[in-house]
Amino acid sequence: MNAGYIITDSVHVGEVEFVLGVHSTAPKQFVTWTCKDGKDYYWGHYHSDLLSATKDLLERATQELEFCMESKVINKAQPPTKKPEEPCL
């Protein structure tokens, strides 16, 4: 629960979670937020219907996934910065 909205759905991508919340009396009954550490909710997108909120949730998660995948490809193309004796993380 956050700001009176009950969190009903979530998608985790890397270190980030995207959530969908529902409020029974708010003018915009649905919201999607980015969430970190299960308690830090920010960048809310507010919606009047569940379908548009669900679409927004999936679009936000997809954008983050694409960003992570691009970062991984870019990092693979660059020479490693660790010394041979350092453990890989």
Side-chain angles (χ1 to χ4, degrees):
M1 187 138 186
N2 184 59
Y5 286 81
I6 298 170
I7 305 303
T8 60
D9 295 289
S10 68
V11 178
H12 294 262
V13 180
E15 300 293 319
V16 181
E17 177 183 15
F18 299 93
V19 300
L20 188 150
V22 180
H23 194 293
S24 61
T25 60
K28 300 264 184 163
Q29 287 186 290
F30 305 93
V31 63
T32 63
W33 280 298
T34 303
C35 180
K36 285 198 178 183
D37 302 323
K39 60 184 182 271
D40 183 14
Y41 296 87
Y42 55 97
W43 289 335
H45 296 179
Y46 295 84
H47 304 273
S48 301
D49 64 277
L50 179 59
L51 194 58
S52 64
T54 302
K55 180 181 180 204
D56 185 61
L57 175 71
L58 297 174
E59 286 174 346
R60 293 177 83 170
T62 299
Q63 286 175 343
E64 182 68 17
L65 179 61
E66 288 172 350
F67 174 78
C68 290
M69 292 175 73
E70 287 175 16
S71 295
K72 188 174 182 178
V73 168
I74 290 169
N75 289 337
K76 280 187 175 183
Q78 295 174 355
T81 57
K82 76 171 199 69
K83 296 177 183 169
E85 66 276 4
E86 293 177 326
C88 294
L89 301 176

